[in-house]
Amino acid sequence: MSATGYDATAVTLKTAAYGVVAFLVLANLIPLLFILSVSFMPPSEFFTDPHLVPYEPTLEAWSTGFEDLRENLLNSFLIGAGTALLALTITIPGAYAFARKEFYGKTAGFYAIISAMMFPYILLVIPIMDLWTALGLYNTVFGMILAYQVFVTPFSIWILRDFFENLPTDIEEAAQVYGCTQFTAFLRVILPLAAPGIVAVGFLAFLTGWNDFLFANLLTTGTGPVPAVPVLYGTIGGGSGERVYWGKLMAETLIIGIPPTIIYLAARSHLESAFNV
Amino acid sequence: MSTRDLFDVGGRTERYRTVLSENWFAYLLIMPVLLFLVVLMWLPFMQGIYMSFNEWPFGGDPTWVGLANYEFLLNWEPFYTSLKATVIFSLTTLFQLVVALAAALAVRELRRGKSFVSAAFLLSYTMPPLVIGTIWAYLLEPDFGPVFGYLTQWNVLEETIYWGSSGSMSLAVVIFVTTWTFWPFMFLIISASLESIPEELYESARMYGANPLQTFLRVTLPQLKSAILVALSIRIIWNMTKISQVLQLTNGGPGYDTSILAVLLYQFAYERGQMGVSYAIGIVLLLMTLGFVFVFIREFERASEGAGA
């Protein structure tokens, strides 16, 4: 193969790569841009020809959207934060043990936990509904925080174990030489070093609590602590016969969708290193 | 175990004792996770299996009916419509893989702006799936949604398509939106794995005069195999059990044409309150996905061993 031939292929490849990237970026951004613009349109503008820039932009959809969702957003926040805190409390010790200790049944135990990630969660929601009703946890914030652990813990163990594993091995021994106990060495040396992983897991757990629809819808009733996501459900498919105010609905989707996006982007570098399979 | 160990009884008990006391601490550390998974996963799962043999109204008392729930399903026409929809819907996983692989390979070629590009890719994945479902329900609305609005305005289509009343069109829309939403997860896993392929492999491929296609087939693809299989198996199971977008876009209709098993399960539990039948559907879904769990674990283990070596 001649050198020029190789260069030509290289150029074609580069062009193709840029083409794919450009296409996918646009395919991702344009729909979202459109939604952003619709959320600023007054109702009358939906029924004219489609256009990207609103003729008479208004903030009405956003302000009524916020007004309507205020309580639900607070519920979502409490559920997300609670899920994250509980998940970290449970999984940090476990992940640490799987990364740094040798014990009988370690591999089997690890895969028992990781494979839980593959469990079709929808199978759990029905018996959990039943169980939660019996225990008085149905329709409570705590009931949801507890239920989300089943999504979150396997993931957290997977990610955190890697973080603990990659820390230098002699670091705790060194701390112990300087008078730390095993526990204080863990608390003062290991935890701060694993902070990026802990933050990443905390974010992922929060997002699970914030983003989920299935448990949120099935474990609450209309009068309970309903998080924000289920509020959107049925506005369209419900077929109540009322005309949907799309502008407001789209403002609401953005109000609910933007916080997790910001969090995700902020935590991205940590998350990406965590996903290195 | 060597013979020296067998006769060294005192040493062995001593060693076991130390191992046990060290293990004791490790077991204590993993106890919370195990406990949660037993209580939140295995116990409800067992109860669910028992449920599927009962007539079980929501919040009410069960009546043992044996295999009647399963019998009902097998004799119920829509169940087969649902099975078919589920199998077709699982194609979304392959589409996600193709997009993710193309994206990961393309992003690798970029010199600048990698960070911006992958951030843009992730937007659709970070928002709640139901939010994305709602957004697309608007964008694809036949009467005043912008997609069909533009397509008719630009004369690509003569008139709008009422996809909601056609089973295959509805299924296509559901597959499109699901692919659009979830491919970035596969992209994350694949591009992370792509980054970790040693540069030497590419250098030696170049030395032997391999062309780009050969390099891809002989170097890149084998190195990505575990990541691809892990991503594929995770996504198949997750796709099969995510219902929010389907519910929001089509509510399982028209008829049962987009009622994938998970949606059917949801409808039996939520709308009809028949928990027993609902769980019987779940068992069928579980059996359909079980093989992927083994693929996942095998590949995960292989990948971890590779990384450890």
Side-chain angles (χ1 to χ4, degrees), chain A residues 13-14 24 27-29 34-35 38 90 94 102-104 111 115 117-120 122-123 126-127 130 146 155 158 211 214 217-218 229 232 234 236 246 253 261 264 268 272, chain B residues 23 26-27 29 33 40 44-45 47 56 109 115 118 121-124 126 128 130-131 135 138 144 146 180 183 188 212 233 237-238 241 243 248 265-266 270 278-279 282 300-301:
Chain A
L13 278 182
K14 268 270 187 280
L24 287 174
N28 263 285
L29 290 185
F34 218 99
I35 296 308
V38 167
I90 304 168
E102 288 306 324
F103 52 90
Y104 180 73
Y111 285 110
S115 60
M117 212 154 63
M118 301 292 284
F119 199 87
I122 194 164
L123 282 185
I126 298 149
D130 202 68
L146 213 55
F155 235 114
W158 175 20
N211 284 2
L214 187 64
N217 197 37
L218 288 175
V229 166
L232 293 178
I236 307 163
W246 289 103
T253 62
T261 304
Y264 207 102
R268 201 161 52 92
E272 274 168 14
Chain B
N23 279 2
Y27 290 142
L29 292 176
V33 193
L40 284 167
F45 177 59
Q47 199 213 0
W56 197 307
E109 296 295 316
S115 172
S118 46
F121 285 173
L122 284 171
L123 285 180
S124 62
T126 56
L130 188 90
V131 163
I135 285 175
Y138 167 71
F144 40 81
W180 190 88
W183 71 267
L188 269 185
S233 45
I237 296 197
W238 288 359
T241 55
I243 57 162
Q248 189 70 311
L265 181 155
Y266 173 87
Y270 195 64
S278 181
Y279 213 87
F300 189 87
E301 199 162 5

XYZ file of all heavy atoms in Angstrom, chain A residues 13-14 24 27-29 34-35 38 90 94 102-104 111 115 117-120 122-123 126-127 130 146 155 158 211 214 217-218 229 232 234 236 246 253 261 264 268 272, chain B residues 23 26-27 29 33 40 44-45 47 56 109 115 118 121-124 126 128 130-131 135 138 144 146 180 183 188 212 233 237-238 241 243 248 265-266 270 278-279 282 300-301:
738
model
N -11.491 8.719 6.795
C -11.904 8.309 8.133
C -12.162 9.504 9.029
O -13.143 9.548 9.760
C -10.828 7.420 8.764
C -10.857 5.959 8.370
C -9.766 5.205 9.103
C -12.216 5.352 8.697
N -11.240 10.465 8.961
C -11.397 11.680 9.768
C -12.704 12.387 9.425
O -13.473 12.769 10.311
C -10.236 12.650 9.497
C -9.054 12.498 10.430
C -9.230 13.389 11.659
C -7.992 13.401 12.542
N -7.846 12.268 13.424
N -24.613 13.391 15.459
C -25.145 12.977 16.757
C -25.310 14.155 17.712
O -26.272 14.191 18.485
C -24.244 11.908 17.381
C -24.341 10.536 16.709
C -23.314 9.581 17.287
C -25.738 9.957 16.872
N -28.447 15.780 16.566
C -29.600 14.934 16.870
C -29.941 15.012 18.357
O -31.086 14.845 18.753
C -29.326 13.496 16.473
N -28.925 15.253 19.186
C -29.182 15.366 20.612
C -29.651 16.749 21.012
O -30.520 16.893 21.864
C -27.908 15.030 21.397
C -27.911 13.608 21.874
O -28.596 13.272 22.814
N -27.178 12.772 21.189
N -29.045 17.763 20.398
C -29.308 19.116 20.872
C -30.575 19.727 20.276
O -31.297 20.441 20.965
C -28.111 20.024 20.579
C -26.858 19.737 21.404
C -25.777 20.760 21.118
C -27.183 19.739 22.901
N -35.560 22.775 20.767
C -36.937 23.012 20.377
C -37.847 23.079 21.599
O -38.712 23.942 21.708
C -37.405 21.912 19.432
C -38.279 22.463 18.364
C -37.761 22.731 17.107
C -39.603 22.761 18.623
C -38.555 23.284 16.134
C -40.398 23.314 17.651
C -39.882 23.578 16.397
N -37.608 22.143 22.515
C -38.417 22.119 23.735
C -38.217 23.415 24.514
O -39.162 24.009 25.034
C -38.013 20.899 24.595
C -38.338 19.615 23.857
C -38.703 20.934 25.938
C -39.746 19.527 23.358
N -40.229 26.084 22.842
C -41.679 25.920 23.039
C -42.089 26.357 24.440
O -43.170 26.919 24.637
C -42.083 24.448 22.796
C -43.488 24.184 23.297
C -41.988 24.117 21.329
N -24.513 2.289 53.527
C -24.503 0.834 53.412
C -23.314 0.342 52.610
O -22.714 -0.677 52.928
C -25.769 0.328 52.690
C -27.017 0.806 53.376
C -25.791 -1.183 52.635
C -28.236 0.558 52.509
N -18.963 -2.062 52.725
C -18.957 -3.261 51.897
C -17.936 -3.177 50.785
O -17.147 -4.097 50.572
N -9.210 -9.845 52.435
C -9.331 -11.197 51.892
C -10.220 -11.970 52.841
O -10.006 -11.954 54.051
C -7.963 -11.864 51.813
C -7.074 -11.311 50.716
C -7.746 -11.326 49.348
O -8.498 -12.278 49.066
O -7.547 -10.364 48.570
N -11.229 -12.598 52.320
C -12.041 -13.427 53.203
C -12.722 -14.517 52.399
O -12.849 -14.423 51.167
C -13.079 -12.590 53.970
C -13.936 -11.716 53.103
C -15.138 -12.176 52.591
C -13.533 -10.413 52.804
C -15.931 -11.369 51.801
C -14.319 -9.597 52.009
C -15.519 -10.081 51.500
N -13.131 -15.533 53.114
C -13.742 -16.679 52.461
C -15.063 -16.255 51.831
O -15.888 -15.595 52.444
C -13.954 -17.800 53.486
C -14.581 -19.026 52.881
C -13.829 -19.862 52.044
C -15.915 -19.346 53.138
C -14.400 -20.972 51.469
C -16.495 -20.458 52.567
C -15.737 -21.275 51.727
O -16.300 -22.373 51.152
N -20.047 -11.212 43.307
C -20.900 -11.428 42.142
C -22.371 -11.540 42.512
O -23.240 -11.171 41.727
C -20.405 -12.614 41.315
C -19.178 -12.208 40.546
C -17.926 -12.704 40.856
C -19.274 -11.252 39.534
C -16.802 -12.273 40.175
C -18.166 -10.815 38.853
C -16.926 -11.332 39.178
O -15.828 -10.887 38.517
N -24.520 -9.031 40.404
C -25.547 -9.577 39.507
C -26.927 -9.029 39.855
O -27.839 -9.065 39.043
C -25.547 -11.100 39.541
O -25.815 -11.537 40.841
N -27.562 -6.115 39.931
C -27.734 -5.029 38.976
C -28.567 -5.483 37.777
O -29.202 -4.693 37.107
C -26.344 -4.616 38.496
C -26.208 -3.185 38.162
S -24.513 -2.644 38.340
C -23.652 -3.598 37.145
N -28.492 -6.772 37.519
C -29.163 -7.316 36.355
C -30.587 -7.775 36.659
O -31.257 -8.306 35.800
C -28.368 -8.506 35.807
C -26.966 -8.170 35.405
S -26.978 -7.108 33.977
C -27.361 -8.288 32.694
N -30.998 -7.628 37.881
C -32.332 -8.110 38.228
C -33.384 -7.207 37.592
O -33.292 -5.993 37.670
C -32.492 -8.127 39.743
C -33.615 -8.998 40.193
C -33.399 -10.349 40.408
C -34.886 -8.488 40.377
C -34.432 -11.166 40.806
C -35.919 -9.297 40.778
C -35.690 -10.646 40.994
N -34.376 -7.793 36.927
C -35.442 -6.951 36.368
C -36.273 -6.336 37.493
O -37.120 -6.990 38.074
C -36.293 -7.923 35.545
C -35.589 -9.224 35.548
C -34.579 -9.224 36.640
N -38.614 -4.411 37.803
C -40.065 -4.314 37.740
C -40.708 -5.507 38.451
O -41.831 -5.430 38.948
C -40.550 -4.177 36.280
C -42.000 -3.727 36.242
C -40.320 -5.442 35.487
C -42.441 -3.218 34.904
N -39.941 -6.597 38.578
C -40.447 -7.765 39.288
C -40.564 -7.519 40.787
O -41.263 -8.234 41.478
C -39.514 -8.962 39.076
C -39.626 -9.690 37.763
C -38.733 -10.902 37.777
C -41.065 -10.126 37.561
N -44.029 -5.151 42.609
C -45.333 -5.676 43.018
C -45.298 -6.229 44.447
O -46.065 -5.784 45.299
C -45.827 -6.716 41.999
C -45.988 -6.032 40.646
C -47.131 -7.322 42.419
C -45.728 -6.953 39.493
N -44.367 -7.170 44.723
C -44.310 -7.611 46.127
C -43.920 -6.499 47.089
O -44.406 -6.481 48.225
C -43.252 -8.717 46.127
C -42.681 -8.767 44.776
C -43.541 -7.999 43.862
N -46.916 -4.623 48.091
C -47.699 -5.391 49.042
C -47.072 -5.329 50.437
O -47.739 -5.071 51.432
C -47.766 -6.839 48.548
C -48.936 -7.569 49.132
O -50.081 -7.216 48.772
O -48.719 -8.475 49.967
N -35.888 3.646 50.906
C -35.526 2.260 51.186
C -35.609 1.414 49.908
O -34.697 0.659 49.587
C -36.502 1.721 52.236
C -35.994 0.700 53.225
C -34.778 1.227 53.948
C -37.103 0.383 54.237
N -24.697 -1.047 42.052
C -23.938 -0.068 41.306
C -22.847 0.567 42.149
O -21.690 0.675 41.755
C -24.896 1.056 40.895
C -24.892 1.304 39.446
C -26.031 1.041 38.697
C -23.756 1.783 38.831
C -26.041 1.267 37.350
C -23.753 2.011 37.474
C -24.897 1.751 36.726
N -19.970 -1.706 42.937
C -19.132 -1.871 41.753
C -18.168 -0.686 41.609
O -16.953 -0.845 41.484
C -20.041 -1.997 40.520
C -19.329 -2.049 39.206
C -18.008 -2.373 38.987
C -19.883 -1.776 37.911
N -17.735 -2.316 37.649
C -18.849 -1.947 36.966
C -21.152 -1.401 37.467
C -19.052 -1.760 35.603
C -21.344 -1.221 36.109
C -20.312 -1.397 35.186
N -34.909 10.541 39.181
C -35.351 10.210 37.829
C -36.387 9.104 37.738
O -37.090 8.999 36.752
C -34.156 9.768 36.970
C -33.314 10.944 36.531
O -33.588 12.084 36.887
N -32.294 10.672 35.755
N -41.062 4.351 37.917
C -41.801 3.144 38.270
C -42.157 3.074 39.758
O -43.325 3.009 40.129
C -40.970 1.921 37.868
C -41.649 0.584 38.000
C -42.827 0.496 37.062
C -40.655 -0.535 37.711
N -44.243 6.036 41.018
C -45.660 6.019 40.692
C -46.403 4.924 41.453
O -47.539 5.110 41.854
C -45.852 5.819 39.186
C -47.250 6.197 38.739
O -47.816 7.146 39.245
N -47.790 5.428 37.809
N -45.754 3.795 41.640
C -46.457 2.670 42.246
C -46.439 2.711 43.771
O -47.303 2.124 44.410
C -45.869 1.342 41.750
C -46.221 1.009 40.296
C -45.515 -0.252 39.850
C -47.723 0.867 40.121
N -41.501 13.495 38.888
C -41.609 12.768 37.619
C -43.011 12.205 37.338
O -43.543 12.409 36.257
C -40.523 11.660 37.532
C -40.827 10.682 36.413
C -39.164 12.286 37.306
N -45.864 14.227 35.521
C -45.944 14.379 34.073
C -46.733 13.253 33.422
O -47.279 13.406 32.343
C -44.543 14.363 33.451
C -43.610 15.506 33.754
C -42.286 15.247 33.084
C -44.208 16.806 33.271
N -49.289 10.712 32.146
C -50.727 10.713 31.955
C -51.272 12.038 31.464
O -52.409 12.122 31.030
N -50.549 13.385 28.859
C -50.808 13.193 27.442
C -51.641 11.946 27.197
O -52.727 11.996 26.637
C -49.492 13.024 26.660
C -48.569 14.179 26.977
C -49.773 12.938 25.178
C -47.162 13.893 26.596
N -49.176 22.542 25.986
C -47.848 21.989 25.737
C -46.724 22.856 26.281
O -45.726 22.351 26.770
C -47.640 21.775 24.234
C -48.459 20.652 23.700
C -49.603 20.744 22.972
C -48.207 19.253 23.877
N -50.079 19.491 22.677
C -49.241 18.566 23.215
C -47.210 18.530 24.536
C -49.303 17.173 23.184
C -47.272 17.154 24.505
C -48.312 16.485 23.840
N -41.126 19.693 31.920
C -40.122 18.659 31.634
C -38.727 19.218 31.836
O -37.842 18.540 32.353
C -40.223 18.108 30.192
O -39.983 19.176 29.274
C -41.552 17.474 29.906
N -29.298 16.898 34.894
C -28.315 17.118 33.843
C -27.120 17.903 34.368
O -25.967 17.536 34.125
C -28.967 17.885 32.678
O -30.097 17.151 32.247
C -27.999 18.041 31.530
N -25.090 15.699 36.587
C -24.360 14.685 35.832
C -23.131 15.283 35.165
O -22.041 14.724 35.207
C -25.280 14.087 34.767
C -24.907 12.686 34.386
C -25.630 11.616 34.887
C -23.839 12.421 33.553
C -25.302 10.325 34.561
C -23.498 11.133 33.221
C -24.243 10.084 33.728
O -23.900 8.806 33.407
N -19.161 14.244 35.792
C -18.901 13.373 34.656
C -17.526 12.701 34.680
O -17.410 11.507 34.457
C -19.059 14.152 33.361
C -19.295 13.303 32.158
C -19.874 14.144 31.070
N -19.062 15.327 30.851
C -18.082 15.371 29.958
N -17.812 14.332 29.235
N -17.384 16.473 29.796
N -17.005 8.697 34.451
C -16.418 8.009 33.307
C -15.297 7.075 33.727
O -15.197 5.959 33.238
C -15.951 9.021 32.265
C -17.114 9.361 31.355
C -16.849 10.549 30.476
O -15.682 10.971 30.364
O -17.819 11.069 29.908
N -11.614 -12.291 59.114
C -12.825 -12.388 58.302
C -14.019 -11.773 58.987
O -14.863 -11.159 58.357
C -13.133 -13.860 58.008
C -12.297 -14.370 56.869
O -11.469 -13.642 56.327
N -12.489 -15.615 56.518
N -14.399 -8.320 58.100
C -14.819 -8.150 56.703
C -16.297 -8.499 56.541
O -17.039 -7.792 55.863
C -13.962 -9.021 55.792
N -16.707 -9.588 57.189
C -18.114 -9.983 57.086
C -19.016 -8.901 57.657
O -20.089 -8.621 57.119
C -18.358 -11.308 57.817
C -17.740 -12.495 57.129
C -17.164 -13.527 57.851
C -17.715 -12.580 55.736
C -16.584 -14.607 57.221
C -17.130 -13.646 55.091
C -16.563 -14.673 55.843
O -15.990 -15.722 55.204
N -18.422 -5.806 57.610
C -18.458 -4.686 56.666
C -19.421 -4.932 55.498
O -20.065 -4.009 55.011
C -17.054 -4.409 56.116
C -16.027 -3.851 57.092
C -14.666 -3.720 56.417
C -16.470 -2.507 57.641
N -24.939 -4.460 53.085
C -25.352 -4.617 51.690
C -26.077 -5.935 51.502
O -27.130 -6.001 50.861
C -24.136 -4.609 50.736
C -24.602 -4.451 49.314
C -23.188 -3.523 51.101
N -34.646 -6.657 50.430
C -35.312 -5.886 49.384
C -35.449 -6.624 48.067
O -36.266 -6.283 47.246
C -34.545 -4.592 49.119
C -34.727 -3.509 50.153
C -33.694 -2.426 49.950
C -36.121 -2.935 50.068
N -38.769 -10.247 48.601
C -39.891 -9.879 47.724
C -39.994 -10.789 46.503
O -41.100 -11.147 46.090
C -39.554 -8.447 47.294
C -38.668 -7.935 48.347
C -37.883 -9.106 48.845
N -38.839 -11.175 45.966
C -38.853 -12.042 44.788
C -39.521 -13.381 45.101
O -40.376 -13.862 44.361
C -37.417 -12.239 44.304
C -37.294 -13.170 43.133
C -37.955 -12.908 41.948
C -36.506 -14.308 43.221
C -37.841 -13.766 40.856
C -36.385 -15.164 42.142
C -37.064 -14.897 40.968
N -41.581 -13.944 47.545
C -43.002 -13.695 47.788
C -43.736 -13.563 46.451
O -44.859 -14.038 46.304
C -43.197 -12.430 48.624
C -44.571 -12.382 49.268
C -45.103 -10.972 49.398
O -44.451 -10.012 49.006
N -46.288 -10.848 49.952
N -54.515 -12.701 43.662
C -54.029 -11.794 44.695
C -54.433 -10.359 44.374
O -53.706 -9.652 43.675
C -52.509 -11.911 44.797
C -51.900 -11.371 46.035
C -52.071 -10.133 46.560
C -50.999 -12.049 46.917
N -51.349 -9.991 47.713
C -50.668 -11.153 47.954
C -50.428 -13.331 46.939
C -49.803 -11.488 48.986
C -49.565 -13.655 47.968
C -49.267 -12.742 48.986
N -11.376 10.005 17.399
C -10.614 10.663 16.343
C -10.496 12.175 16.555
O -9.692 12.835 15.903
C -11.282 10.423 14.974
C -11.310 8.966 14.552
C -9.915 8.423 14.318
O -9.113 9.125 13.678
O -9.610 7.313 14.808
N -14.588 16.846 25.221
C -15.365 17.003 26.440
C -16.754 17.575 26.125
O -17.770 17.089 26.635
C -14.597 17.911 27.386
O -15.368 18.234 28.471
N -18.894 14.778 24.281
C -19.481 13.695 25.077
C -20.487 14.249 26.075
O -21.431 13.557 26.442
C -18.410 12.824 25.738
O -17.435 13.611 26.330
N -23.624 14.428 24.125
C -24.176 13.085 23.956
C -24.966 12.644 25.177
O -25.959 11.945 25.075
C -23.045 12.071 23.730
C -22.452 12.125 22.359
C -21.332 11.382 22.049
C -23.011 12.914 21.365
C -20.779 11.420 20.779
C -22.471 12.973 20.097
C -21.345 12.218 19.808
N -24.467 13.058 26.350
C -25.051 12.530 27.577
C -26.379 13.186 27.963
O -27.111 12.647 28.776
C -24.056 12.687 28.725
C -22.931 11.671 28.676
C -21.862 11.998 29.692
C -23.495 10.282 28.940
N -26.654 14.344 27.355
C -27.852 15.078 27.781
C -29.101 14.211 27.807
O -29.868 14.228 28.767
C -28.092 16.270 26.852
C -27.162 17.452 27.043
C -27.513 18.558 26.064
C -27.248 17.963 28.476
N -29.300 13.433 26.750
C -30.544 12.673 26.672
C -30.603 11.595 27.743
O -31.673 11.191 28.168
C -30.665 12.027 25.299
O -29.607 11.122 25.100
N -29.239 11.815 30.810
C -29.280 12.295 32.193
C -30.683 12.661 32.647
O -30.992 12.573 33.818
C -28.396 13.530 32.360
O -28.831 14.512 31.415
C -26.952 13.204 32.111
N -34.684 12.370 33.317
C -35.530 11.218 33.618
C -36.155 10.671 32.332
O -36.631 11.453 31.504
C -36.608 11.801 34.525
C -36.009 13.031 35.100
C -35.057 13.559 34.094
N -38.916 9.400 31.723
C -40.294 9.834 31.499
C -40.340 11.259 30.945
O -41.193 11.600 30.133
C -41.111 9.764 32.796
C -42.588 10.020 32.512
C -43.313 8.731 32.217
C -43.263 10.780 33.612
N -39.389 12.079 31.365
C -39.306 13.439 30.831
C -39.008 13.384 29.335
O -39.653 14.053 28.529
C -38.219 14.240 31.585
C -37.815 15.490 30.818
C -38.724 14.621 32.974
N -41.241 14.688 26.212
C -40.706 15.592 25.190
C -40.974 15.042 23.789
O -41.464 15.752 22.907
C -39.195 15.810 25.425
C -38.994 16.736 26.620
C -38.524 16.370 24.177
C -37.553 16.940 27.016
N -44.502 15.203 22.529
C -44.831 16.480 21.922
C -44.211 16.609 20.528
O -44.893 16.953 19.558
C -44.363 17.645 22.807
C -44.418 18.957 22.061
C -45.641 19.539 21.749
C -43.256 19.595 21.624
C -45.710 20.718 21.023
C -43.319 20.773 20.900
C -44.549 21.327 20.604
O -44.608 22.478 19.883
N -49.754 18.989 15.682
C -48.998 20.242 15.745
C -47.585 20.051 16.292
O -46.924 21.007 16.631
C -49.752 21.306 16.546
C -50.421 20.762 17.765
C -49.714 20.542 18.919
C -51.779 20.447 17.723
C -50.330 20.026 20.023
C -52.397 19.928 18.852
C -51.684 19.716 19.996
N -43.657 19.558 16.040
C -42.770 20.121 15.021
C -42.216 19.100 14.023
O -42.018 19.455 12.859
C -41.642 20.755 15.838
C -41.766 20.201 17.197
C -43.185 19.790 17.397
N -32.819 6.637 21.102
C -32.339 8.014 21.270
C -31.957 8.294 22.719
O -30.984 8.968 23.012
C -33.445 8.980 20.815
C -33.012 10.408 20.703
C -32.455 11.021 19.615
C -33.116 11.416 21.717
N -32.209 12.338 19.899
C -32.605 12.616 21.177
C -33.599 11.420 23.035
C -32.555 13.802 21.891
C -33.544 12.608 23.749
C -33.030 13.784 23.182
N -28.779 5.228 24.255
C -27.478 4.847 23.702
C -26.289 5.441 24.450
O -25.233 4.812 24.499
C -27.396 5.111 22.194
C -27.320 6.563 21.801
C -28.366 7.369 21.485
C -26.155 7.371 21.683
N -27.922 8.627 21.184
C -26.573 8.666 21.300
C -24.788 7.125 21.872
C -25.680 9.708 21.098
C -23.906 8.182 21.671
C -24.348 9.450 21.288
N -20.777 5.423 27.086
C -19.908 5.603 28.253
C -19.011 4.394 28.459
O -17.790 4.516 28.600
C -20.768 5.767 29.507
C -21.188 7.149 29.942
C -21.925 7.068 31.263
C -19.949 8.015 30.115
N -7.124 0.362 8.050
C -8.007 0.724 9.165
C -9.044 -0.346 9.499
O -9.313 -0.615 10.673
C -8.686 2.005 8.674
C -7.733 2.589 7.711
C -7.035 1.448 7.058
N -25.593 -6.773 27.560
C -26.448 -7.565 28.442
C -27.134 -6.677 29.483
O -28.317 -6.867 29.773
C -25.666 -8.703 29.096
O -24.433 -8.253 29.572
N -31.495 -6.111 29.523
C -32.360 -6.290 30.684
C -33.004 -4.982 31.096
O -34.198 -4.916 31.387
C -31.563 -6.928 31.834
C -31.137 -8.314 31.382
C -32.370 -6.948 33.109
C -30.713 -9.234 32.440
N -32.216 -3.902 31.085
C -32.799 -2.624 31.502
C -33.847 -2.138 30.513
O -34.863 -1.573 30.907
C -31.696 -1.575 31.689
C -30.884 -1.836 32.918
C -31.070 -2.851 33.808
C -29.776 -1.088 33.389
N -30.124 -2.780 34.797
C -29.313 -1.707 34.565
C -29.113 0.049 32.934
C -28.240 -1.221 35.298
C -28.027 0.530 33.659
C -27.600 -0.100 34.829
N -37.158 -3.782 30.996
C -37.908 -3.532 32.221
C -38.235 -2.058 32.410
O -38.854 -1.692 33.388
C -37.113 -4.036 33.448
O -35.832 -3.421 33.435
C -36.935 -5.531 33.390
N -40.421 1.053 31.559
C -41.736 1.160 30.945
C -42.186 2.582 30.726
O -43.134 2.835 30.006
C -42.788 0.466 31.817
C -42.783 1.065 33.217
C -42.558 -1.017 31.868
C -44.042 0.736 33.965
N -45.809 6.553 28.316
C -46.092 7.945 27.988
C -46.380 8.126 26.496
O -47.187 8.946 26.107
C -44.911 8.824 28.436
C -45.161 10.312 28.344
C -46.174 10.802 29.366
O -47.252 10.239 29.518
N -45.860 11.873 30.050
N -47.297 -6.219 32.535
C -47.163 -6.466 33.972
C -47.673 -5.270 34.765
O -48.443 -5.399 35.710
C -45.688 -6.737 34.273
C -45.213 -7.061 35.682
C -43.918 -7.863 35.584
C -44.950 -5.832 36.514
N -47.232 -4.079 34.320
C -47.644 -2.851 34.994
C -49.157 -2.676 34.934
O -49.799 -2.332 35.926
C -46.931 -1.671 34.328
C -47.387 -0.314 34.805
C -46.806 0.274 35.926
C -48.391 0.379 34.136
C -47.215 1.513 36.366
C -48.802 1.624 34.572
C -48.212 2.189 35.685
O -48.629 3.416 36.119
N -51.364 -2.319 38.163
C -51.787 -0.970 38.513
C -53.232 -0.709 38.125
O -53.981 -0.111 38.875
C -50.865 0.030 37.812
C -50.957 1.417 38.366
C -50.568 1.672 39.680
C -51.408 2.471 37.583
C -50.640 2.954 40.204
C -51.482 3.758 38.098
C -51.095 3.987 39.411
O -51.162 5.247 39.926
N -50.012 -10.514 37.235
C -48.925 -9.596 36.972
C -47.575 -10.272 37.235
O -46.643 -10.176 36.429
C -49.109 -8.383 37.871
O -48.110 -7.465 37.646
N -47.470 -10.975 38.345
C -46.189 -11.612 38.653
C -45.907 -12.789 37.745
O -44.754 -13.064 37.420
C -46.090 -12.024 40.120
C -44.660 -11.889 40.585
C -44.208 -10.682 41.076
C -43.754 -12.937 40.442
C -42.898 -10.516 41.432
C -42.430 -12.775 40.804
C -42.010 -11.561 41.305
O -40.700 -11.397 41.639
N -44.236 -11.415 35.006
C -42.869 -11.125 35.414
C -41.962 -12.335 35.317
O -40.814 -12.230 34.879
N -17.927 -9.794 32.766
C -17.479 -8.873 33.807
C -16.268 -9.450 34.522
O -15.269 -8.785 34.747
C -18.618 -8.636 34.795
C -18.336 -7.540 35.771
C -18.635 -6.232 35.447
C -17.761 -7.808 37.000
C -18.363 -5.210 36.331
C -17.485 -6.793 37.886
C -17.787 -5.495 37.557
N -16.367 -10.732 34.830
C -15.284 -11.408 35.533
C -14.020 -11.412 34.675
O -12.937 -11.095 35.134
C -15.711 -12.845 35.831
C -14.922 -13.488 36.913
C -15.673 -14.710 37.463
O -16.736 -15.055 36.907
O -15.191 -15.303 38.413
